[in-house]
Amino acid sequence: MNRATRTGPKARAALMAMAMGVATVLPGAVMMVAPTASQAQMFPAFRQALAEGVGESRALSTFYRENGYSEVWTGADHAARRTALVSALSRAAEHGLPPERYDLPGLLAAFESVQTERDRGFVEARASLTFLQYARDIHSGVLDPSSVISDIVRELPRPDPAELMRDFVASEPVSFIRNLAPDAPEYARLFHAKRELDAVIAAGGWGPRVQAGSLAPGEGGPAFIALRNRLIAMGYLPRVATARYDGAVQRAVQEFQVAHGINPDGIAGNATIQAINVEPQERMRNIIVAMERERWLNIPRGDRHIWVNLTDFTARIVDFDQVTFETRSVVGSRANQTPEFSDFMDHMEINPDWTLPRSIVAEYWGALVSGGASHLNLIDGQGNVVPREYVNIGAYSPTTLPFEVRQPPGPGNPLGEVKFLFPNPYAIYLHDTPSRSLFGNAVRAYSHGCIRLQDPRDFAYALLAAQESDPVGYYQRIRDSRRETSVYLVTPIPVHIVYRTAFTSVTGRMNYRADVYGRDARLYDALLRAGVEVGA
């Protein structure tokens, strides 16, 4: 491992000594005695070097100009700040951050080599630039996700650099830096899981892989022993010496299957064996990407919010970090991927019509031209139905047709009896569907992008319960009217459409899902290019 990515015990001890502002045993170290703020004007070389060092950062230039170029890191009384920064940087890899980006050894060497006030000015600038880079990364992510994958649409909560510096100077440094990381419970659980997985990797993994296509209750032999031992190593089975696939092992397999999105039949079939044989290094990649995704979403999520995990094919209502409602979902196909974004659900439409997107109009075009698809209406700009016999549809194309194509409410409407809207530029919403068979599949990526719900009525009841004394009766009266009706939520609810191949239960149990769109693989490659390490 190169010098930029690891800080050994001796170097760390030297660093801590230097951070206390005293000479160390490293060659060339000097006593760091800095001027007070009132003396700063007496050191033009320091001021000039500092101004040069932060010159490419408008925010830092403004900050130091406004504080009279008073030092933040290099003063004799700044040991606590230096120690806090060094400690954080030395543990950056624990958060799945790229240590090379911060070059801690280089920063230490720069502190050590200070001989003049000009040297000290450049070190001051370097420390601030490093701090801001670390703060930005741990607070809101290493990557700009949309530059890697356009379907990830996140407005990252980037902290203001000058404000960060001002707040840091006015705060206790250790707690300030610690609080830069997301405070969401999920981030803390992922961080803990990463540390546990680091230990597993350091110890050599979960043991030999299972050399079998499938295993069923009652079986034994070497393949079963490998299965048993990996379940023990992963924490699904207590340490036992059973030589047969008994009831305890079957229950452990079921628990494993639930945590990996596999039908929990207790039989170690091909999908289960494949998942059990995944090595901890690969799971670590899932966790590292999940932590990065948490940093992108380092915003207030709402005491009540809707959480749609595309890889898990579920939609949940979450109240104070507890799932209070859950239903299966069908999401966009690989060819019509559902984007990731957050917005606010403000209303539902009961008995909705369906206005076909132009991409779907193209699928019906042959039928429309030939006079088929009689369930579809043409709608003019005033919202009126135009008799199709008055229109030469063949004279147009799906993109030039001067009418909307709409299907009225009814049993065959693809949106079913209710849809849930959070207006967005991607025309994505949650909705009912008359096609129920797909909800029985383990992988449910079939739609044109919108999200179908298996239990839309109960979902509606759960939302309406916050504003109606009889949500079921209220909903059913509107439904039975057969009239399209918009029902607005008194309090709009945040909706977060996310993509997590690694996530936790509230107890901390890790769950893993397949990378159905291949997005996490691309993000992980981007993180590697940025300097993130596995098994750090």
Side-chain angles (χ1 to χ4, degrees), residues 1 5-6 90-100 191 193-202 280-281 284-285 288 524 531-536:
M1 193 66 66
T5 60
R6 283 292 184 271
S90 69
R91 292 172 171 81
E94 295 178 15
H95 288 270
L97 300 177
E100 289 186 354
F191 178 81
K194 182 182 180 299
R195 294 185 68 173
E196 290 185 339
L197 206 54
D198 274 328
V200 169
I201 293 171
Q281 290 84 353
M284 178 65 79
R285 297 179 190 122
I288 286 174
Y524 181 72
V532 169
E533 303 164 355
V534 175

Side-chain angles (χ1 to χ4, degrees), residues 62-313:
T62 300
F63 167 77
Y64 277 109
R65 186 169 59 250
E66 290 178 349
N67 83 345
Y69 292 92
S70 296
E71 58 276 279
V72 172
W73 309 99
T74 59
D77 57 346
H78 297 156
R81 292 176 185 167
R82 294 191 292 273
T83 301
L85 178 61
V86 165
S87 178
L89 296 180
S90 69
R91 292 172 171 81
E94 295 178 15
H95 288 270
L97 300 177
E100 289 186 354
R101 178 174 284 190
Y102 319 116
D103 189 13
L104 178 55
L107 179 62
L108 297 182
F111 268 103
E112 178 189 352
S113 63
V114 168
Q115 299 290 338
T116 67
E117 283 302 302
R118 184 169 177 80
D119 293 340
R120 191 169 68 84
F122 282 122
V123 169
E124 173 75 24
R126 180 169 182 169
S128 287
L129 289 166
T130 301
F131 165 73
L132 289 180
Q133 182 67 68
Y134 173 83
R136 182 180 189 270
D137 291 351
I138 196 168
H139 182 269
S140 52
V142 174
L143 304 175
D144 176 1
S146 62
S147 69
V148 182
I149 299 172
S150 60
D151 277 334
I152 304 177
V153 188
R154 296 280 175 214
E155 184 176 345
L156 303 187
R158 297 298 192 193
D160 176 78
E163 185 176 342
L164 260 179
M165 292 296 295
R166 288 191 292 269
D167 290 346
F168 175 71
V169 168
S171 303
E172 194 283 316
V174 172
S175 60
F176 184 89
I177 292 178
R178 182 176 59 245
N179 291 335
L180 289 170
D183 62 0
E186 176 70 355
Y187 188 84
R189 294 191 290 260
L190 288 169
F191 178 81
H192 180 72
K194 182 182 180 299
R195 294 185 68 173
E196 290 185 339
L197 206 54
D198 274 328
V200 169
I201 293 171
W206 289 314
R209 303 178 72 182
V210 181
Q211 302 297 324
S214 65
L215 289 166
E219 293 191 51
F224 167 75
I225 297 302
L227 171 70
R228 180 201 67 190
N229 290 346
R230 283 181 81 89
L231 288 171
I232 291 171
M234 293 176 185
Y236 292 98
L237 186 68
R239 189 167 297 279
V240 294
T242 180
R244 292 285 171 185
Y245 198 140
D246 60 12
V249 174
Q250 186 172 3
R251 288 189 292 274
V253 168
Q254 287 178 309
E255 187 178 349
F256 176 90
Q257 289 168 329
V258 168
H260 292 76
I262 301 168
N263 179 37
D265 57 9
I267 299 171
N270 183 62
T272 300
I273 295 294
Q274 286 187 12
I276 283 177
N277 281 338
V278 172
E279 298 297 350
Q281 290 84 353
E282 185 170 341
R283 295 305 186 200
M284 178 65 79
R285 297 179 190 122
N286 298 132
I287 292 177
I288 286 174
V289 173
M291 293 178 73
E292 174 74 355
R293 288 178 173 281
E294 279 290 310
R295 290 188 284 264
W296 301 338
L297 203 54
N298 188 13
I299 58 174
R301 298 178 188 182
D303 293 337
R304 160 169 275 207
H305 60 268
I306 295 165
W307 188 262
V308 180
N309 186 1
L310 300 176
T311 68
D312 190 34
F313 310 107

Side-chain angles (χ1 to χ4, degrees), residues 385-468:
V385 176
V386 178
R388 284 169 55 178
E389 58 268 25
Y390 294 170
V391 179
N392 181 11
I393 296 177
Y396 303 99
S397 72
T399 56
T400 62
L401 183 70
F403 306 99
E404 288 187 340
V405 180
R406 185 177 298 170
Q407 182 173 347
N413 189 302
L415 305 186
E417 65 182 42
V418 62
K419 68 177 179 179
F420 306 89
L421 293 100
F422 37 105
N424 59 82
Y426 323 108
I428 299 298
Y429 46 84
L430 280 58
H431 65 90
D432 182 19
T433 176
S435 303
R436 316 302 298 173
S437 61
L438 296 177
F439 290 111
N441 295 353
V443 175
R444 299 185 290 276
Y446 299 105
S447 81
H448 284 85
C450 286
I451 298 158
R452 308 171 192 170
L453 303 182
Q454 184 178 34
D455 301 309
R457 288 184 191 172
D458 289 338
F459 188 79
Y461 300 159
L463 297 178
L464 291 172
Q467 62 193 59
E468 297 293 336

